[in-house]
Amino acid sequence: MFVIGVIAACLAAVAYGMSTVLRALGARRVAMTARDEGTESRHTNAAGGPSLHSTTSTFMDPAFILGTLLVVIGFAGGALAARFLPLFLSQTIVSANLVVTALLGTIMLSIALHLRDWVAIWLVVLSLCLLGLAAEKHTGGGESAIFHYELFVATLILCAFALFGVYRLGKHAAIVGGAMAGLLFGMIAIAVRVLDGVQPTFDPVALLRDPAAWTIAVAGAVGFFVQTVALQIGAVNGVTAVLVVGETAGPSLVGVLFLGDAAKPGLEWLAIVGFAGAVVGAVLVAWYGAGDPDHFGEAPPMKGGWRRGRETESESRSESAS
């Protein structure tokens, strides 16, 4: 079961990474079409973010639809991983979709990666390896029945904050939207882990009565919507990085504190180092990739070295001359 869980988590990471890039491509094409047709005002709300019309148009883009199908594959893989692995391991493997997103983004979205980006990405990868070495090969259990209701209520509160944030913060909501989507996707992993009516025999009545099933439905719908809005506003690598921090840190802590997850005896320190490295690497990617998205391919290039932001016109000229 441990091997099946690892394979399923890797499948989820690849599917989610491909999905994110395809949906970002769909958002880019909708933005370009709106500019070409002169309908940009219909695609912007009062706060400066994407309007509901813009998000709906993005949902109907062919690339976005293909990306949505890959989300289903990713969800299936992530669900299996959450059942068979400790949450701090399954969610951290799934968070490797950041690497897939970054690599595909260089091809499909023409995103240039600097040395600092590669350092941060490989920090995430190596940290995942450390975490895998330290993880115990079985999951805990024994959560109380009330935990299912607490999980659902917490999800409703997160949904309210997520929707309020992406529409009130407007064009500045990309990082908030990505982080909230990550926390909601983390709620799904926790809910899948504790879901009733699945084992030892499938019981559809028990499953539908379980608040954890309601959590999956609500968190999935709102998380998907909020992530889409974030991809319309912000750079894909920055949004994905804070998303994987949210979907990794939240479930991992819940798994250790409430669900009996653990590291191998004597390797707790390695699990902590691996987890911390993965989070720090993701934050670095978010920090350097959190600039405005270059939907039209017209923005100045990102600064090199360890500087943040885009080059000014004078910096671009001086680099060209050298």
Side-chain angles (χ1 to χ4, degrees):
M1 291 301 183
F2 181 83
V3 175
I4 293 175
V6 171
I7 293 173
C10 292
L11 174 64
V14 174
Y16 279 142
M18 294 176 64
S19 167
T20 300
V21 173
L22 286 169
R23 286 184 288 147
L25 178 62
R28 170 180 290 191
R29 298 201 306 196
V30 169
M32 294 180 69
T33 300
R35 188 183 73 163
D36 293 342
E37 295 178 351
T39 59
E40 292 160 290
S41 58
R42 294 180 59 197
H43 289 254
T44 306
N45 61 24
S51 64
L52 185 59
H53 172 77
S54 175
T55 304
T56 303
S57 299
T58 301
F59 285 157
M60 295 187 293
D61 182 86
F64 190 94
I65 293 172
L66 179 58
T68 303
L69 294 177
L70 288 170
V71 168
V72 177
I73 297 174
F75 173 79
L80 278 176
R83 296 293 296 194
F84 296 151
L85 300 175
L87 284 174
F88 69 83
L89 175 59
S90 66
Q91 290 307 105
T92 309
I93 294 175
V94 171
S95 74
N97 71 79
L98 168 64
V99 180
V100 179
T101 299
L103 293 176
L104 283 180
T106 62
I107 300 171
M108 300 180 65
L109 302 175
S110 301
I111 297 174
L113 294 178
H114 295 280
L115 175 61
R116 62 180 183 225
D117 302 304
W118 289 112
V119 169
I121 288 170
W122 280 109
L123 175 59
V124 174
V125 173
L126 295 176
S127 298
L128 295 179
C129 295
L130 295 180
L131 197 56
L133 290 174
E136 188 62 81
K137 295 188 178 182
H138 64 81
T139 56
E143 81 283 353
S144 63
I146 194 65
F147 179 82
H148 294 228
Y149 288 93
E150 293 170 343
L151 187 64
F152 181 61
V153 172
T155 297
L156 293 179
I157 295 172
L158 278 177
C159 288
F161 275 109
L163 293 172
F164 178 82
V166 295
Y167 279 108
R168 292 296 294 178
L169 296 178
K171 63 182 181 179
H172 304 293
I175 297 304
V176 172
M180 296 304 290
L183 289 174
L184 288 170
F185 293 153
M187 287 295 192
I188 294 175
I190 300 169
V192 168
R193 167 72 174 275
V194 303
L195 193 61
D196 291 335
V198 179
Q199 289 180 330
T201 58
F202 181 69
D203 185 349
V205 175
L207 189 149
L208 292 175
R209 287 179 177 174
D210 187 1
W214 313 341
T215 295
I216 293 172
V218 174
V222 177
F224 182 81
F225 180 83
V226 169
Q227 183 192 15
T228 300
V229 175
L231 289 173
Q232 290 182 277
I233 305 169
V236 62
N237 288 344
V239 171
T240 304
V242 292
L243 187 149
V244 300
V245 171
E247 72 176 350
T248 302
S252 300
L253 292 175
V254 170
V256 171
L257 294 176
F258 301 106
L259 302 179
D261 290 348
K264 292 177 182 177
L267 291 181
E268 292 85 358
W269 66 272
L270 190 61
I272 294 173
V273 170
F275 179 76
V279 173
V280 169
V283 169
L284 285 174
V285 177
W287 173 252
Y288 286 113
D292 295 331
D294 187 13
H295 284 318
F296 310 117
E298 298 171 350
M302 299 295 290
K303 293 179 180 179
W306 294 95
R307 300 174 298 167
R308 184 172 181 266
R310 295 190 180 276
E311 293 179 356
T312 63
E313 186 176 345
S314 59
E315 288 174 326
S316 297
R317 283 200 303 265
S318 63
E319 284 202 8
S320 299
S322 60

